[in-house]
Amino acid sequence: MKLELLPNEILIECLVYLNTFEIFYSFDTLNSRFSHLIRNTPIYLNFQHIHKTKFSRFCSEILPEIKQNIYSLHLSNKDACGEINAFFSFYLLDDYSHVQSLSLTYLEEENLSQLKSILPLCTSLHSFHLNSSQIDDEQIISVLPLGHLQKLSIKTLESFLIYVQQPTIITHLIISKCSLEQLRYQLLEIIPMLQYLNIKTITRDKQSIISDTNHRAIHLKQLIIGQFRYPFDAFADFVKQTPNLRSLTFANAINDQKFINPNEWENLINASLFNLNTFKFKLTCSHLCRDVVSYNYNRFQNGFWLDQHHWYTELLTNNTLHCIYTVPYISKSFELEENTKRSNYRSINISNIFKQVENLTFIYNETKDYSSFYFPNVISLKIQQKKETKYLQSLKSIVNLSNIKHLDISLYQKGSLSEELIEILRESSQLSSITIDPINLKLLFNDKELCLYMNKIIKKLNIHKHGYYLFEDSNQVATFCAVFSNIQQLRCSIKAPNSIIFLLQRLSKLSTIHVYLRRISDRNLFYGLVEEVFRDCNYRIRIKDVRSNLMKLSIWIDRYYD
């Protein structure tokens, strides 16, 4: 069937699987029906990792026609300095009443004044996510409209508890860090409808909160805790306030042996969590507790865990930690050390055990048997070598290289850079980003085949190393530009400002550059040189002081913007 013969309802369902930019650049000019359809449906704009050229053209040519239909908006300064302010310059203050979901990543101080004016106008906002550890969120929380807000992600609870005094209708809450006392005695009172709670770290607060009132979270169905810095008994007291909890994910508690005692968990679940049907955990203890961990692991294999609830566990050990975890392994990151072992594992399909791991650190041991490990969905791979050994076959047995998008070889063994790395580049069909030790650049430059592969596939390059500056002379700069002529994003350290100007002139596809360099004595002169390079381009530049003798230069470039 031809696509244009499908009814509008089916087309809209199909378009959900494409991002907004793909939709507009692929379908907007096909015919009047498509143009009308995509302009009159709810629009989800995600400006993360966007090229400056695409951003500028979209905002200037398409945004004015669709702004009344923007339902969801995600802005980020992470890889694009000044993106949030740049978007605000296109989007007028009276255009935000239709936005229902707003996410802001790497917010900066310069964005706050505009946000304080914009947020009160977002009267339809039901979802707000702030992922910016570098700023105080007080000024944001103080003006955040709460009338329709149901989903909220914030850094801490301090400002929220100050400015929100009346009960809200929030049902989903994500917090980076808070104290257990804030949860028990304050938060549950003002978020009585809470159904989903995700907290990265629960840690002790310097200011103690004492109260006789414990508010019950009777609607809470799902609880996720990344790190818990209180004893087990404190956790047990807290979950007495969550009688209808159905799903619990728990990881990385303090070194309290009660956390790895299955009897403690069994008693707690029977007494306070009788509605719990999903329990995922990763319980760690130091290697000094090895015998206790092994003993308790065997006690997780009784009828309560296996037959009644079907919660299966495995034991993971290395030189420093012992870990009992439910399968599949719950974390997205995993460090496969030289002495990491899966012990007493069950006969479960190995491809499912670590299916959630996306970031893998691989520390090769030539005597290790890797047959019990497989990571099918890794997208970011870090390789460490302590000796010059052949590791590729072992790596291929545990990782699907075709999924790899980022490769980190910053701790790669010097002197063995090329042969196996070329094979990785050949087989990693999605690879476009690499982190490398700048000292190893000379080894790379001496290998013509490796240079050709790097030039062909690498679009994002990170060679920043604290205290090490690139390029001893102009010949090295020229060689670098020839090898990496196709990169779009670059992060590095450079001693001489003139080398930066040379890079900007030679790297014609560069969209984003972050450079750490020694303090520039005459910034106005440097700005003038950059302006001369980009006299026909649209760009944003920022210089920030990192330390007394170190600064960070960021430039977001649109070389083709007219």
Side-chain angles (χ1 to χ4, degrees):
M1 180 183 290
K2 292 184 178 181
L3 184 65
E4 60 266 25
L5 297 181
L6 293 173
N8 286 350
E9 293 78 10
I10 301 298
L11 283 174
I12 292 173
E13 290 294 324
C14 294
L15 294 178
V16 169
Y17 295 95
L18 301 174
N19 68 49
T20 301
F21 309 108
E22 291 173 335
I23 292 172
F24 275 93
Y25 291 122
S26 300
F27 296 97
D28 188 35
T29 58
L30 286 181
N31 54 49
S32 58
R33 179 198 173 199
F34 275 105
S35 295
H36 178 78
L37 180 65
I38 63 179
R39 280 170 165 75
N40 290 278
T41 56
I43 294 172
Y44 301 78
L45 287 181
N46 186 345
F47 285 106
Q48 289 191 103
H49 317 298
I50 187 172
H51 195 283
K52 180 68 165 66
T53 301
K54 186 179 290 187
F55 174 87
S56 298
R57 289 180 174 174
F58 185 89
C59 288
S60 62
E61 298 172 7
I62 299 175
L63 183 62
E65 302 179 24
I66 65 168
K67 57 187 179 182
Q68 297 300 322
N69 294 320
I70 296 178
Y71 172 87
S72 175
L73 176 62
H74 191 160
L75 300 172
S76 173
N77 288 324
K78 183 176 181 180
D79 292 317
C81 72
E83 178 188 288
I84 295 178
N85 271 3
F87 181 83
F88 290 157
S89 68
F90 286 102
Y91 207 53
L92 300 178
L93 285 179
D94 60 352
D95 294 330
Y96 290 88
S97 60
H98 299 277
V99 176
Q100 296 187 33
S101 177
L102 178 61
S103 300
L104 302 171
T105 300
Y106 273 63
L107 198 66
E108 297 176 329
E109 290 290 338
E110 66 176 31
N111 306 135
L112 293 178
S113 59
Q114 285 182 294
L115 275 172
K116 289 177 68 175
S117 301
I118 290 168
L119 280 175
L121 304 176
C122 299
T123 52
S124 301
L125 199 66
H126 73 73
S127 178
F128 180 74
H129 303 281
L130 181 62
N131 182 16
S132 300
S133 59
Q134 61 271 39
I135 67 156
D136 186 353
D137 56 11
E138 178 178 357
Q139 296 186 59
I140 302 297
I141 300 299
S142 65
V143 296
L144 187 65
L146 298 173
H148 300 283
L149 197 67
Q150 297 180 30
K151 297 181 180 181
L152 176 64
S153 300
I154 51 178
K155 183 172 65 171
T156 65
L157 283 178
E158 278 80 1
S159 299
F160 186 81
L161 295 173
I162 291 173
Y163 289 100
V164 181
Q165 298 295 325
Q166 299 298 322
T168 67
I169 61 171
I170 293 172
T171 58
H172 291 65
L173 180 63
I174 300 175
I175 313 168
S176 295
K177 186 174 71 171
C178 70
S179 71
L180 189 59
E181 290 77 16
Q182 288 175 325
L183 289 178
R184 296 189 63 184
Y185 306 130
Q186 294 178 290
L187 180 69
L188 297 181
E189 180 180 7
I190 57 178
I191 310 186
M193 305 302 293
L194 192 62
Q195 299 176 19
Y196 171 93
L197 179 59
N198 185 334
I199 309 172
K200 293 181 180 178
T201 302
I202 299 182
T203 187
R204 294 184 181 276
D205 198 345
K206 295 179 181 178
Q207 298 180 346
S208 60
I209 301 172
I210 301 176
S211 174
D212 295 330
T213 305
N214 286 336
H215 300 276
R216 288 163 63 86
I218 59 173
H219 299 287
L220 189 64
K221 301 295 190 296
Q222 185 172 2
L223 175 62
I224 300 173
I225 299 175
Q227 295 186 16
F228 190 79
R229 301 305 184 196
Y230 289 78
F232 181 88
D233 291 342
F235 177 78
D237 287 338
F238 169 60
V239 296
K240 290 176 182 177
Q241 299 171 238
T242 63
N244 297 313
L245 195 67
R246 296 178 182 174
S247 175
L248 173 62
T249 301
F250 189 92
N252 294 345
I254 63 171
N255 204 25
D256 179 352
Q257 291 190 15
K258 282 189 176 182
F259 281 111
I260 59 171
N261 187 330
N263 286 351
E264 295 286 350
W265 283 107
E266 185 174 340
N267 292 336
L268 175 61
I269 292 168
N270 286 331
S272 304
L273 299 174
F274 28 81
N275 289 309
L276 194 68
N277 53 42
T278 300
F279 187 21
K280 304 174 184 178
F281 59 78
K282 187 180 72 171
L283 308 173
T284 57
C285 206
S286 76
H287 70 286
L288 299 176
C289 305
R290 179 179 57 189
D291 294 337
V292 174
V293 174
S294 298
Y295 171 70
N296 281 329
Y297 169 75
N298 291 325
R299 297 163 70 196
F300 274 103
Q301 312 310 311
N302 66 19
F304 174 84
W305 297 93
L306 303 183
D307 301 327
Q308 183 177 342
H309 291 287
H310 305 289
W311 295 334
Y312 302 108
T313 55
E314 290 187 353
L315 178 61
L316 199 68
T317 63
N318 59 34
N319 286 340
T320 58
L321 292 175
H322 288 64
C323 173
I324 301 173
Y325 60 94
T326 50
V327 293
Y329 188 77
I330 63 174
S331 296
K332 290 188 176 182
S333 298
F334 191 93
E335 186 167 306
L336 185 55
E337 300 181 14
E338 294 173 292
N339 297 296
T340 302
K341 293 196 317 181
R342 281 176 67 204
S343 303
N344 307 108
Y345 52 88
R346 301 168 58 86
S347 56
I348 302 173
N349 187 350
I350 189 174
S351 64
N352 292 327
I353 303 300
F354 300 106
K355 64 181 181 181
Q356 295 182 190
V357 174
E358 296 180 354
N359 309 296
L360 175 66
T361 298
F362 175 61
I363 306 174
Y364 180 61
N365 179 356
E366 59 185 336
T367 64
K368 181 178 178 61
D369 178 9
Y370 289 96
S371 61
S372 62
F373 292 95
Y374 186 66
F375 305 88
N377 299 314
V378 170
I379 59 176
S380 179
L381 173 64
K382 184 175 184 178
I383 301 174
Q384 293 182 219
Q385 274 187 292
K386 295 183 178 180
K387 295 188 296 183
E388 294 191 30
T389 52
K390 301 291 185 180
Y391 65 87
L392 184 59
Q393 291 306 312
S394 294
L395 177 64
K396 290 169 66 175
S397 71
I398 64 170
V399 174
N400 183 357
L401 290 176
S402 63
N403 289 330
I404 303 297
K405 296 181 179 180
H406 174 74
L407 178 64
D408 185 340
I409 52 172
S410 57
L411 297 177
Y412 211 78
Q413 179 69 34
K414 292 166 60 177
S416 61
L417 192 62
S418 82
E419 182 180 344
E420 296 195 321
L421 181 55
I422 289 176
E423 187 65 25
I424 292 175
L425 298 181
R426 283 198 189 106
E427 299 199 21
S428 302
S429 55
Q430 297 192 63
L431 182 66
S432 63
S433 173
I434 193 166
T435 299
I436 186 171
D437 190 319
I439 297 175
N440 282 336
L441 276 179
K442 293 180 180 179
L443 297 175
L444 186 152
F445 293 158
N446 292 331
D447 190 305
K448 189 170 294 185
E449 185 179 8
L450 184 56
C451 288
L452 289 174
Y453 272 103
M454 289 284 190
N455 182 273
K456 180 180 179 181
I457 68 174
I458 299 302
K459 302 295 186 291
K460 184 176 181 180
L461 177 64
N462 183 351
I463 43 177
H464 167 60
K465 184 177 182 179
H466 177 67
Y468 187 91
Y469 296 96
L470 287 177
F471 312 134
E472 297 174 1
D473 53 52
S474 58
N475 290 331
Q476 288 187 0
V477 185
T479 302
F480 176 86
C481 291
V483 172
F484 294 103
S485 60
N486 290 313
I487 61 169
Q488 299 174 8
Q489 297 183 40
L490 174 63
R491 185 179 298 270
C492 61
S493 298
I494 292 177
K495 182 183 299 185
N498 288 340
S499 296
I500 301 174
I501 302 300
F502 191 91
L503 290 175
L504 297 176
Q505 291 172 329
R506 295 293 187 91
L507 298 175
S508 60
K509 297 182 180 180
L510 195 64
S511 173
T512 303
I513 183 170
H514 300 284
V515 182
Y516 295 85
L517 68 162
R518 293 177 181 176
R519 185 176 295 276
I520 299 174
S521 57
D522 191 338
R523 293 192 183 186
N524 290 331
L525 175 61
F526 182 76
Y527 284 143
L529 294 173
V530 174
E531 187 173 348
E532 177 64 22
V533 174
F534 298 130
R535 60 183 179 273
D536 298 323
C537 305
N538 181 293
Y539 70 94
R540 286 182 173 264
I541 184 172
R542 180 178 293 112
I543 295 181
K544 287 188 174 182
D545 293 321
V546 179
R547 293 193 300 274
S548 59
N549 63 340
L550 184 68
M551 53 198 297
K552 180 184 177 183
L553 166 71
S554 299
I555 308 178
W556 194 31
I557 311 158
D558 173 9
R559 296 180 180 273
Y560 311 106
Y561 181 71
D562 189 359

